[in-house]
Amino acid sequence: MEKKPPRGTRKREVPLTEAGIYAAALRLIDADGVEALTMRKLATSLDANPMSLYHHVPNKDAVLRGVARMVGTQFRTVTLEDAPWQERIRLLATDFRTLAHRHPKLMAYSFSHQADFIQPEDPFWVSLAAILDAAGVPHSELPQIAALVCAVITGVLTAELNGALNQWSSLKPPTVGEDVLAPPDSDENGVFRLALDTIITGLESRLATDG
Amino acid sequence: MEKKPPRGTRKREVPLTEAGIYAAALRLIDADGVEALTMRKLATSLDANPMSLYHHVPNKDAVLRGVARMVGTQFRTVTLEDAPWQERIRLLATDFRTLAHRHPKLMAYSFSHQADFIQPEDPFWVSLAAILDAAGVPHSELPQIAALVCAVITGVLTAELNGALNQWSSLKPPTVGEDVLAPPDSDENGVFRLALDTIITGLESRLATDG
DNA sequence: ACCTGAACACCGTTCAAGT
DNA sequence: ACCTGAACACCGTTCAAGT
């Protein structure tokens, strides 16, 4: 048996690195939320002195941006060149949703606080542009249409992640009196798919009248 | 000329009240953002001791919720019973957008942090439910459809308020090389209206196939 | 009833000093 | 080059004491 060094002086097995700091921050965020992340707690979780972090990262905001970028990089989707664009956009959206569900606290934060979370070189944006192009969206309209799709997807996901979607869809229609109460946990999958189908149908009809 | 009392002991003309605290908080939020709001600064702006606030308000979170509720109460929209539901939903959305533009920092915060920001008795929700009912949405689907409309509107507004919409819609399509850069400030009005039109069209076609 | 000063347990970050 | 302790300028909130 080795003797454990006294608490607080235990040596790190791994040297402090930028990537290691982001990974530890992500663990804390997944567990307790972005607002509970503290440079001091982050350092403690790495067995480091709080001030040591500042040799690898300029400040807390950079940590949050770094974590968001790291997670964004993990996004993967398969490209189905031959499938209809409706199917492809559905797949893209659900793949993105899967990532959002893996790190809900971080993603909810990123959607609302980091306007540059989705970048032009990101696979999400590249795929989206390719799909809309394949669907026949004119180049002149493509940025606006892509922006609208992004906004709708992140908007519905935000509402889902923070519970608003669930609350709204359990409200009974206020005009009638004899309805039963909605089930305690209404189907969020359903509302997400509904939103997706609705904008896809809307885009379909826009493309039909254009061409 | 009256002699001003020395700095820091100037007497309040108005006694401290819950509503007065919310109003002062809103002024600070409009000016500097939610994250800059501090119980201590809030007290200073009211010429009060920081601790005096706690006799009218339980804590900072209650202040934020109170401010959000106060602003939410200000929402007004006219009811055009006779207009087609497409027109009515457009008007409801733009009225809501007007309110969001009046207090962008607070609304962006509320959308992402307060799942219960839109409540069942709020005029926004009541109007939305009435319009969808008039449009012929079956009662059984109404909560889900209303939730989807809420999520899309708040989602697009969030993206607009935090600048993401503008950034996304200025990205040039990544596949082509010879495009000119998008104009520095692309038309957000346009993207908002585009999103609105797209979900309205999507809903239209869903209602058509239902009936 | 309403207000207040002191205090507690935290923050992020700077800086001079150590190895 | 990397780490660290002390310190600074803040936070939200509790509590005992004042009027």
Side-chain angles (χ1 to χ4, degrees):
Chain A
M1 286 261 191
E2 298 196 41
K3 198 166 66 169
K4 279 223 199 83
R7 180 210 282 274
T9 41
R10 178 159 56 97
K11 264 295 183 45
R12 268 189 309 285
E13 330 75 35
V14 210
L16 233 39
T17 64
E18 200 183 325
I21 290 173
Y22 295 155
L26 181 57
R27 275 194 300 275
L28 293 184
I29 290 169
D30 281 344
D32 301 322
V34 173
E35 65 291 339
L37 181 70
T38 273
M39 294 300 274
R40 292 165 130 109
K41 286 194 221 159
L42 179 53
T44 302
S45 89
L46 287 160
D47 288 316
N49 180 291
M51 297 312 114
S52 304
L53 303 182
Y54 287 88
H55 286 271
H56 301 90
V57 130
N59 52 39
K60 183 179 176 177
D61 196 65
V63 173
L64 290 172
R65 279 202 315 276
V67 174
R69 263 210 67 68
M70 189 180 82
V71 169
T73 300
Q74 290 169 10
F75 176 74
R76 289 287 176 276
T77 185
V78 288
T79 304
L80 303 175
E81 294 271 0
D82 299 329
W85 67 267
Q86 291 90 336
E87 207 50 49
R88 294 175 66 190
I89 215 167
R90 242 184 283 268
L91 181 63
L92 180 70
T94 53
D95 282 343
F96 192 65
R97 184 172 181 243
T98 301
L99 181 64
H101 280 10
R102 196 141 56 219
H103 303 290
K105 314 251 180 65
L106 174 74
M107 297 292 271
Y109 172 84
S110 295
F111 292 159
S112 53
H113 293 79
Q114 304 183 333
D116 58 350
F117 176 60
I118 292 170
Q119 303 245 259
E121 326 82 41
D122 286 341
F124 180 82
W125 185 268
V126 172
S127 298
L128 179 58
I131 293 169
L132 293 176
D133 186 50
V137 173
H139 275 190
S140 62
E141 297 182 16
L142 202 144
Q144 284 79 22
I145 303 270
L148 122 66
V149 174
C150 270
V152 169
I153 291 178
T154 58
V156 176
L157 280 178
T158 299
E160 185 183 341
L161 295 179
N162 77 11
L165 202 60
N166 194 11
Q167 253 186 252
W168 291 335
S169 59
S170 335
L171 293 180
K172 59 178 197 312
T175 42
V176 291
E178 43 184 315
D179 273 16
V180 288
L181 285 172
D185 194 354
S186 73
D187 186 6
E188 283 181 340
N189 271 0
V191 182
F192 184 81
R193 178 153 283 260
L194 195 62
L196 210 48
D197 287 347
T198 305
I199 55 161
I200 287 174
T201 308
L203 290 176
E204 268 174 354
S205 100
R206 155 172 300 269
L207 290 168
T209 60
D210 271 14
Chain B
M1 287 258 193
E2 298 196 42
K3 200 165 68 169
K4 280 222 199 83
R7 182 210 283 274
T9 42
R10 179 158 54 99
K11 266 292 184 46
R12 269 189 308 286
E13 330 76 32
V14 211
L16 234 38
T17 65
E18 200 183 325
I21 290 173
Y22 295 155
L26 181 57
R27 275 194 300 274
L28 293 184
I29 290 170
D30 282 343
D32 301 322
V34 173
E35 66 290 340
L37 180 71
T38 274
M39 294 301 274
R40 292 164 129 108
K41 285 194 221 162
L42 179 53
T44 302
S45 88
L46 287 160
D47 288 317
N49 181 289
M51 297 312 115
S52 304
L53 303 183
Y54 287 88
H55 286 271
H56 302 89
V57 132
N59 54 38
K60 183 178 177 178
D61 196 65
V63 173
L64 290 173
R65 279 201 316 276
V67 174
R69 263 210 67 69
M70 189 181 81
V71 169
T73 300
Q74 291 169 11
F75 175 73
R76 288 288 177 277
T77 185
V78 287
T79 304
L80 304 175
E81 296 270 358
D82 300 329
W85 65 268
Q86 292 90 336
E87 207 50 49
R88 294 176 66 190
I89 215 168
R90 241 184 284 268
L91 180 62
L92 180 71
T94 52
D95 282 343
F96 191 66
R97 184 172 180 243
T98 301
L99 181 64
H101 280 8
R102 196 140 56 219
H103 303 290
K105 313 249 180 66
L106 174 74
M107 297 293 271
Y109 172 85
S110 295
F111 292 160
S112 52
H113 293 78
Q114 305 184 331
D116 58 351
F117 176 60
I118 291 170
Q119 304 244 259
E121 327 82 40
D122 285 342
F124 179 81
W125 186 268
V126 172
S127 298
L128 179 58
I131 294 169
L132 293 175
D133 186 50
V137 173
H139 276 189
S140 63
E141 296 182 16
L142 202 145
Q144 283 79 21
I145 303 270
L148 121 66
V149 174
C150 270
V152 169
I153 291 177
T154 58
V156 176
L157 280 179
T158 299
E160 186 184 339
L161 294 179
N162 76 12
L165 203 60
N166 194 11
Q167 253 185 253
W168 291 334
S169 59
S170 335
L171 292 180
K172 59 180 199 308
T175 42
V176 292
E178 43 184 314
D179 272 14
V180 287
L181 285 172
D185 194 355
S186 73
D187 188 6
E188 282 180 342
N189 272 0
V191 182
F192 184 81
R193 178 152 284 258
L194 195 63
L196 210 48
D197 288 346
T198 305
I199 54 160
I200 287 174
T201 308
L203 290 176
E204 268 174 355
S205 100
R206 157 171 298 267
L207 290 169
T209 59
D210 271 14

